[in-house]
Amino acid sequence: MEAEVALVQGNQLSSNALALNSLALNSLALNAIATKTIDPNALAAIQDPGPSGTLARAFLKYAVGCAFTTAQSFAFTWTDIDGLAHDELYKGELGVASGWATGPLNTQGKYMVSACLAARVNYYQVPVTISIRSLTEPLKTLTGSQELAQYPDVEGAFWGNLWAPTPFLHACYNDSTVSNSRSWKRDCAVGHLLAGGGVEECGMIDIVGPCCNVCQTLNSAGQYYPSCIERPGQSSTTTKFVITTGLP
C-alpha cells in the first residue's frame, strides 16, 4: 500500500500525558533514547510503578512512534508495586526525528515530535486511524495518492514545542470538515462540545480557530498546510513544523 507508514493507528493518547512532559520527562530531549544513554531522571519517570509512570510510559511510547523509523525501537524494563517485571518494547512508526536514537533531540525534532504527539491525542481515548502529513520530510514523501483517496478530509493541523521553556501546543481546524471530525471521535482540533454549551479543549492543546485564519493555504494536492503562525496572537512568525491530519 502506498504511503502506509504515514497512516498510524491507535491514536488515543491522553492529554494528561502531554502535560507530564513539562515535568518529569523534560530531560528526555537531552540524550539519545537508548537504555545506556537516556537521562536518569527520564528513566526513573518511565520506571515509576505509580500513576505518573503510566502517563510517562504512554508519552514515551507515542514519542518513540513519532520520532523513530520502523527499523528503530526502544526497550526497557520496569517493576510494578507487586514486584512483577514488565518488558516494554516501543517501536518506531513515522521517523520524524530518527536521530534521537543516537543523540539529543534537535530543534526540528522537538517541534515535529510535539506536533505529532498533539495530533495523536484523543479526547475520548479511543483509537482512530489517521493520515499524518507535513511539508517536512519524511511525511511529505510518505503521503501518496492512494492515501489521499482513502483519507480525503483534512481535519486540521497541530504544531508547538513541548520542550520550550514554556511548553505550548496549538491546533486549528478545517471548517468544512468539522462534522466529519466529530463523527470519528476526533475533537482535539475542533473542540469537544459540552452538554451545557461551549467547547472544551484537549488539555494544553490551544485551539486557535479555523486553519484558514492562521495557516498557509493547503498545498496544491490538498495534503497539508505548509506553515502556520507559530504563536497566534503573540507574533506573526510562522513555522513549517506543522502536522496536518486527514480522516476518511
Side-chain angles (χ1 to χ4, degrees):
M1 173 182 173
E2 183 179 15
E4 62 180 349
V5 181
L7 295 173
V8 289
Q9 300 178 347
N11 297 291
Q12 59 194 93
L13 181 65
S14 163
S15 60
N16 291 332
L18 294 183
L20 184 73
N21 176 60
S22 62
L23 303 174
L25 289 184
N26 194 50
S27 56
L28 261 180
L30 298 176
N31 298 312
I33 299 299
T35 305
K36 294 182 179 180
T37 56
I38 189 171
D39 183 272
N41 292 327
L43 182 60
I46 62 176
Q47 291 179 327
D48 184 340
S52 293
T54 300
L55 291 175
R57 287 185 290 276
F59 176 90
L60 183 60
K61 180 178 181 179
Y62 277 89
V64 168
C66 289
F68 284 10
T69 69
T70 54
Q72 297 173 302
S73 62
F74 172 65
F76 69 100
T77 301
W78 64 281
T79 303
D80 64 26
I81 57 174
D82 296 319
L84 180 64
H86 298 263
D87 296 323
E88 303 283 350
L89 178 65
Y90 299 160
K91 297 181 179 180
E93 297 174 274
L94 295 169
V96 302
S98 60
W100 202 10
T102 56
L105 195 61
N106 63 19
T107 298
Q108 176 174 319
K110 291 175 182 177
Y111 276 85
M112 288 301 292
V113 172
S114 297
C116 180
L117 285 166
R120 302 183 72 175
V121 172
N122 186 282
Y123 181 90
Y124 303 97
Q125 295 183 49
V126 297
V128 180
T129 302
I130 60 176
S131 171
I132 287 185
R133 313 161 183 176
S134 179
L135 170 67
T136 304
E137 296 288 8
L139 299 183
K140 180 178 180 180
T141 301
L142 291 174
T143 307
S145 57
Q146 186 172 348
E147 180 175 334
L148 290 175
Q150 293 177 341
Y151 292 76
D153 280 350
V154 170
E155 171 192 37
F158 299 85
W159 66 98
N161 184 359
L162 287 166
W163 286 277
T166 301
F168 67 96
L169 293 172
H170 295 303
C172 65
Y173 56 86
N174 180 353
D175 52 11
S176 65
T177 61
V178 169
S179 59
N180 185 61
S181 297
R182 290 204 169 108
S183 72
W184 282 100
K185 299 292 186 180
R186 288 280 299 177
D187 282 9
C188 291
V190 301
H192 174 69
L193 292 176
L194 298 173
V199 173
E200 182 179 8
E201 297 176 326
C202 293
M204 66 179 294
I205 302 176
D206 176 34
I207 300 173
V208 295
C211 294
C212 60
N213 291 345
V214 293
C215 298
Q216 188 178 349
T217 305
L218 285 169
N219 73 316
S220 58
Q223 298 165 297
Y224 51 77
Y225 296 99
S227 66
C228 298
I229 298 173
E230 183 175 355
R231 302 300 299 265
Q234 298 184 35
S235 75
S236 59
T237 302
T238 61
T239 177
K240 66 177 182 179
F241 302 133
V242 175
I243 282 182
T244 301
T245 49
L247 292 168

